[in-house]
Amino acid sequence: MVVLQRLFSNSSSSPLSRAIRAYRRLDLSRVPKRRPAGAPKRAKRVSEAELARLIDRYSSGATMYQLATEFNIDRKTISRHLKAAGVQMRLRPLTIAQVDEAITLYDSGLSLAGVGRELGVHGSTVHLALNQRGVGLRKPWEHPRQRSASRSDSK
């Protein structure tokens, strides 16, 4: 009687047994192996043709981040390849003469961003150079007010 009831009943299998059957059907050979945390990554090898293209793109003005996306390589690896090839990096620290000029411009009342625009670098580069020289930086409320020409003409 139990056998007949089982054959003719309308019950479905338990969720656990369905999950086990679904797990057994999975193809786990295609699942990528996880790298343990802290294990070193392997740098991507770059062919000679890719290196030539990398140097050409960097020389034409592409940033490290753009190249990293384009070549699917970490930006540090790109930097290492370019330095090994003898390519001069664009972001260089200020020279002694530039730092002297930056101090003069900053003392004349320009902001760090303004000094950076004059020298063709970012304001944070100027900030770093002035800090290394021991120049005391103004507080934000100590910056001299720069009036526009229209305000001074109307008074």
Side-chain angles (χ1 to χ4, degrees):
M1 185 152 155
V2 174
V3 174
L4 288 177
Q5 185 181 6
R6 191 172 193 185
L7 287 174
F8 293 109
S9 69
N10 199 9
S11 65
S12 62
S13 59
S14 71
L16 178 62
S17 61
R18 286 189 305 229
I20 290 171
R21 277 197 307 275
Y23 177 76
R24 287 180 180 153
R25 286 191 301 262
L26 288 176
D27 182 14
L28 298 177
S29 63
R30 289 196 236 164
V31 176
K33 301 247 188 296
R34 290 187 60 141
R35 189 176 55 82
K41 296 179 184 177
R42 299 214 182 249
K44 182 179 176 185
R45 295 192 187 267
V46 178
S47 68
E48 293 297 321
E50 284 179 322
L51 182 61
R53 227 176 76 223
L54 186 70
I55 293 170
D56 183 50
R57 292 276 296 121
Y58 183 76
S59 299
S60 66
T63 66
M64 292 281 187
Y65 292 98
Q66 290 169 339
L67 293 173
T69 303
E70 182 179 333
F71 287 87
N72 196 23
I73 304 174
D74 186 66
R75 67 171 181 79
K76 294 176 186 174
T77 305
I78 289 175
S79 175
R80 203 174 318 118
H81 283 301
L82 291 174
K83 286 177 184 175
V87 176
Q88 176 135 12
M89 299 285 120
R90 284 192 294 265
L91 298 179
R92 296 180 306 273
L94 296 176
T95 63
I96 295 172
Q98 286 176 318
V99 174
D100 292 338
E101 184 179 354
I103 292 170
T104 305
L105 290 170
Y106 186 74
D107 287 341
S108 74
L110 279 178
S111 65
L112 293 173
V115 174
R117 276 192 297 275
E118 290 289 321
L119 298 176
V121 296
H122 195 269
S124 62
T125 305
V126 176
H127 182 248
L128 181 66
L130 295 182
N131 270 343
Q132 288 174 344
R133 272 288 181 93
V135 174
L137 299 178
R138 297 183 295 262
K139 304 291 183 213
W141 56 87
E142 295 175 341
H143 286 282
R145 302 264 182 222
Q146 295 181 355
R147 297 183 184 158
S148 63
S150 61
R151 279 190 187 171
S152 60
D153 291 342
S154 63
K155 289 185 176 183

